[in-house]
Amino acid sequence: QICLSLVKLLFYLAHSPLGSIVLLDFQPRQFVMVDGNLKVTDMDDASTEELSCKEDNDCTLDFPTKSFPLKCSAVGKCEGINEKKNLFNAYRYFFTYLLPHSAPPALRPFLSDILNATGDLRYGINETLKAFEKVLHLYKSGLYLQKRPLLLKDYISLKGFRTAEGEDYKCWPSYSHLGCLLSVHSAEEAAAICNSQSQCQSFILTQRRTWTGRPLASFQSSLTDLVPDANAVVYIKRSASSGKRL
């Protein structure tokens, strides 16, 4: 969410009515999340000036660990230097820390491609935004899910109930520090996740949703007391429920 919001912001800056805008003091502390969108808190160090040049050798974009040769345009400006500077700073301050983590395994190759392409500046901002929107579409639609055996049949579902709240086993990347709370595309994906975790004996789906509209599933290791909740469904492994009174 943070990276996609940043890319949308950089897309706007690259195509602003004032021309391509570069953020000269590009640091994480210069941004803040407002209602799920990344905002720049300080525009004092923004500039529309692009480096003047006479030849391509005048257009080297230098960073502490990398340098990129750019072209000198016919009007004597280094082509795309502001856009590329913003994009590489997004890569080194945000993408490298956020993209490799927490995505479903099937989507990680797509994010690795974005990471590598922006790290080498093979992608411009247009291509980067398009790549992010493709990943978002796959994520929201569930198209990333590989065909696998249907596992939900191995669970008993109890509509109108949830389990009593309390601490349970933890997993990564959980939305709650008290237990294992993950976003899923469907109950079938939640069943696959539960089967992959040795501690998991049941999971609960409620009406809670993430920013992409995906439901949140709470995975649990033990069968605690059931509490009435019209908006919830408890799924319990048949193997865990055998011999127990539900």
Side-chain angles (χ1 to χ4, degrees):
Q1 182 181 12
I2 293 171
C3 291
L4 175 61
S5 187
L6 176 58
V7 168
K8 288 180 176 179
L9 173 61
L10 297 187
F11 180 86
Y12 173 78
L13 294 179
H15 301 285
S16 84
L18 299 176
S20 182
I21 299 174
V22 63
L23 301 177
L24 299 175
D25 186 19
F26 197 116
Q27 300 284 341
R29 64 173 179 268
Q30 299 283 23
F31 300 90
V32 65
M33 291 292 285
V34 180
D35 296 328
N37 295 306
L38 207 66
K39 305 284 187 181
V40 183
T41 60
D42 185 1
M43 292 293 289
D44 289 347
D45 293 312
S47 173
T48 58
E49 291 295 321
E50 291 196 309
L51 187 64
S52 298
C53 57
K54 293 183 179 179
E55 56 184 29
D56 290 350
N57 288 338
D58 297 330
C59 293
T60 301
L61 183 56
D62 289 316
F63 292 95
T65 58
K66 278 190 175 182
S67 295
F68 300 95
L70 304 181
K71 297 288 185 181
C72 182
S73 70
V75 295
K77 297 290 183 180
C78 295
E79 288 185 0
I81 192 167
N82 287 353
E83 173 187 328
K84 293 181 187 299
K85 188 170 185 178
N86 283 341
L87 191 54
F88 189 78
N89 277 327
Y91 159 80
R92 65 179 182 143
Y93 287 119
F94 288 88
F95 298 172
T96 54
Y97 297 104
L98 300 177
L99 287 188
H101 310 292
S102 77
L107 289 179
R108 289 173 191 168
F110 295 97
L111 295 177
S112 293
D113 287 345
I114 294 174
L115 195 63
N116 293 332
T118 53
D120 295 335
L121 285 185
R122 287 185 285 109
Y123 279 2
I125 192 62
N126 294 359
E127 295 86 353
T128 303
L129 179 58
K130 185 177 180 180
F132 266 103
E133 288 177 337
K134 177 182 177 180
V135 175
L136 180 63
H137 173 67
L138 293 173
Y139 186 58
K140 292 174 70 173
S141 65
L143 290 173
Y144 68 91
L145 293 170
Q146 301 170 347
K147 290 184 178 180
R148 64 182 74 186
L150 298 179
L151 302 172
L152 200 57
K153 65 182 185 302
D154 298 328
Y155 289 77
I156 296 170
S157 64
L158 299 174
K159 295 181 179 179
F161 291 94
R162 61 175 172 81
T163 55
E165 295 183 2
E167 288 195 34
D168 208 309
Y169 78 92
K170 298 174 176 60
C171 66
W172 174 260
S174 177
Y175 282 81
S176 169
H177 68 280
L178 296 177
C180 185
L181 185 65
L182 304 173
S183 77
V184 295
H185 177 257
S186 62
E188 188 63 53
E189 184 183 13
I193 293 173
C194 189
N195 276 28
S196 71
Q197 298 175 344
S198 60
Q199 308 101 310
C200 185
Q201 297 298 314
S202 64
F203 63 90
I204 307 142
L205 286 178
T206 66
Q207 296 299 311
R208 296 175 62 190
R209 304 265 169 175
T210 68
W211 66 281
T212 60
R214 287 161 55 96
L216 288 171
S218 176
F219 299 88
Q220 299 185 332
S221 63
S222 58
L223 298 176
T224 57
D225 293 337
L226 296 179
V227 178
D229 186 335
N231 297 315
V233 183
V234 179
Y235 295 85
I236 303 169
K237 279 184 179 177
R238 292 183 185 276
S239 58
S241 64
S242 61
K244 293 184 173 65
R245 184 178 177 184
L246 293 177

